[in-house]
Amino acid sequence: MNYRNVAIIAHVDHGKTTLVDGLLRQSHTFRENQQVAERVMDSRPLERERGITILAKNTAIEWHDQRINIVDTPGHADFGGEVERALGMVDACLLLVDAAEGPMPQTRFVLKKALALGLRPILVVNKVDRKDARPGEVTGLTFDLMVELGATDEQLDFPVLFAIAREGKAWREGDAPGEDFTPLFETILSHVPVADGDLAAPFQMQVANLDYSDYLGRVALGRVRRGTARMGDPVVRIGRDGREVRGRLTKVYTHFGLQRVEAEAVTAGDIVAVSGLDDVQIGDTLCHPDRIEALPFAGVDEPTVAVTFSPNTSPFAGLEGKYVTSRHIADRLQRELLTNVALRVEELGGESYRVSGRGELHLGILIEEMRRDGYEFSVSRPEVILKTIDGVLCEPFEKVVADVPLDAMGAVMESLSARRAQLVDMEQGETHARLTFSIPARGLFGYRNGFLSMTAGEGLLSHVFDGYEPHVGELRTRQNGSLVAMEPGEAFAYSIWKLQERGTFFIDPGIDVYVGMILGANSRGGDLDVNVCKNKKLTNVRASGSDDNIMLVPPRRLTLEEAMEYIADDELLEVTPKSLRLRKRILDPNNRKKEAKRTAEAAV
């Protein structure tokens, strides 16, 4: 069978997974009466909730007796470790670009990776039914981007299709709008080369991903580079450290639709799954014993942001979580390292672990998955990873693209300039402007909420890692202090009502609080200790003004990422399966004052 291996790459929310849905349906992969959910490739609960692809996944369809292996890749640069491995298994890429938004920061990121690997792109301009669509201009902008990224003449000779993925329609540039995806299927078969590989040579493949089965143990996924493998064949596993371990394949699988299909044999060019190797890891090479040769592992970009994981030490520790000790946390992080190759874990003193990732979202997804698994722990404020390059201290910079209404343009530019951002480009339309900035990565911590307020919820903010630049010095991203509990007990509506003018609360009345717990954001700089556990005294005396109605402002609900961005260096995020609480590192207010005094004296 001839195999075509193609990856679908795009910016977040440009329609990748919706396009895969249409390809699966129109290739008759599903039964006519089969009930299939939308965005069927986003199979994990977190992916469906957030509407993003987190893990690269592969599927296979058949069109006119030709097998097409499709890899759906994440659109967010924080999951670049998934993108880099997925692109190594394919021979071409389907680049999806929104007909209105055009190329965005993550488009640049994934396209740069694809072009560097020599993949030939097929451009699909999606959502051409939008009122503000500009497909011709977007095609030109994408061509300019490819030239800027160093595409070869062969890569620049790419076919262009227009599509409405939601309706399952695609057509070639210059043709009348189509009724289905037939032009897209035909373009894939004509433009994507048939996967090569010497069938007569001894078996060889590289592990690009891992899965787990209760019956089979670890399942290794990857593309067969040469030869054929059958159930029971002996293999040699070559680790990334060069160590060789002999084993035997117990099962071999190919893919069709969303199913993993057991096969008699898997051959060169196909993307397959094999089992029987207990300690197999991503990047390992599997070879036939007659010809042992290791394949080079594709490099993964280094992490740029780190947080510290440690056991929860608050007065509420152990009340909601199932796994609460440092040993539990360490075991879970080690398991994550098996499949999350872009993650780094370093053991610190005092039962703490420094966890480094590609960005706040990368680390936030890990934290959310751990809390859903029953883990309870605390997390420090994210900090950027500094490097010394040619004797100069450097920090990570981000390229930021902000689409904002014209009346909010001045406020956004002023706020980002205060965070040491430099304006790189500006495009002004009739109602909106697109501003491109270069900014230190730490300058974006805690910025998104303020950005949404400035733009009345209409702004779009996208950013991607843009390299290391010289350190810009001290940068203050948070202007306000915190409202901190000074008494333990139940929070009363009366006390919160009396304190509403002092700031914005994060809590509801009726919840239990402890000393040192952060209850909200102070309206001024500096922390303020408050008592929310004092209720109104009940007497039989009535007077004018003493029985006012208690009108509470709804509390501000922080998401996990917002809570990570909010906390300061002397604060922690307490994560449990049921709650997200903010707290001071030092709970006792008197001890906090002593520590602040010692720090000030040491600075002098």
Side-chain angles (χ1 to χ4, degrees), residues 97-158:
V97 181
D98 189 294
E101 295 181 3
M104 296 290 280
Q106 267 82 25
T107 310
R108 168 186 290 269
F109 170 78
V110 291
L111 183 58
K112 182 179 180 180
K113 298 289 183 186
L115 295 176
L117 291 170
L119 304 183
R120 296 184 62 193
I122 299 171
L123 176 61
V124 180
V125 181
N126 192 26
K127 304 184 182 181
V128 295
D129 56 332
R130 288 182 56 165
K131 291 182 180 179
D132 52 351
R134 44 182 186 138
E137 186 178 345
V138 165
T139 302
L141 291 172
T142 307
F143 182 88
D144 295 342
L145 176 60
M146 290 190 188
V147 172
E148 182 184 340
L149 295 177
T152 64
D153 291 342
E154 185 182 30
Q155 289 172 325
L156 290 173
D157 185 21
F158 55 85

Side-chain angles (χ1 to χ4, degrees), residues 30 82 87 92 98 171 194 304 316 333 436 461 472 518:
F30 303 131
E82 295 288 323
L87 294 180
D98 189 294
W171 60 94
V194 176
T304 58
F316 294 170
L333 292 174
T436 305
L461 190 72
V472 298
I518 296 173

Side-chain angles (χ1 to χ4, degrees), residues 16-139:
K16 290 188 317 300
T17 310
T18 304
L19 182 73
V20 176
D21 281 359
L23 294 174
L24 287 166
R25 287 189 173 92
Q26 294 190 24
S27 61
H28 305 294
T29 302
F30 303 131
R31 300 189 314 272
E32 293 295 332
N33 63 344
Q34 187 172 347
Q35 297 294 318
V36 182
E38 289 187 7
R39 296 186 291 112
V40 67
M41 292 291 282
D42 286 346
S43 54
R44 304 174 71 189
L46 266 180
E47 292 178 318
R48 303 197 69 82
E49 288 173 20
R50 299 189 179 217
I52 60 174
T53 302
I54 296 172
L55 295 180
K57 306 175 194 70
N58 60 292
T59 183
I61 60 177
E62 288 186 8
W63 180 261
H64 295 171
D65 298 325
Q66 301 288 314
R67 176 69 65 88
I68 303 173
N69 287 316
I70 300 173
V71 180
D72 184 19
T73 64
H76 203 287
D78 278 19
F79 308 113
E82 295 288 323
V83 175
E84 289 150 351
R85 301 203 312 270
L87 294 180
M89 295 192 292
V90 300
D91 300 306
C93 62
L94 224 62
L95 174 63
L96 213 62
V97 181
D98 189 294
E101 295 181 3
M104 296 290 280
Q106 267 82 25
T107 310
R108 168 186 290 269
F109 170 78
V110 291
L111 183 58
K112 182 179 180 180
K113 298 289 183 186
L115 295 176
L117 291 170
L119 304 183
R120 296 184 62 193
I122 299 171
L123 176 61
V124 180
V125 181
N126 192 26
K127 304 184 182 181
V128 295
D129 56 332
R130 288 182 56 165
K131 291 182 180 179
D132 52 351
R134 44 182 186 138
E137 186 178 345
V138 165
T139 302

Side-chain angles (χ1 to χ4, degrees), residues 356-371:
S356 306
R358 296 284 283 268
E360 284 180 280
L361 183 60
H362 185 204
L363 296 171
I365 292 296
L366 169 62
I367 293 169
E368 182 65 35
E369 288 180 338
M370 288 179 64
R371 72 182 291 230

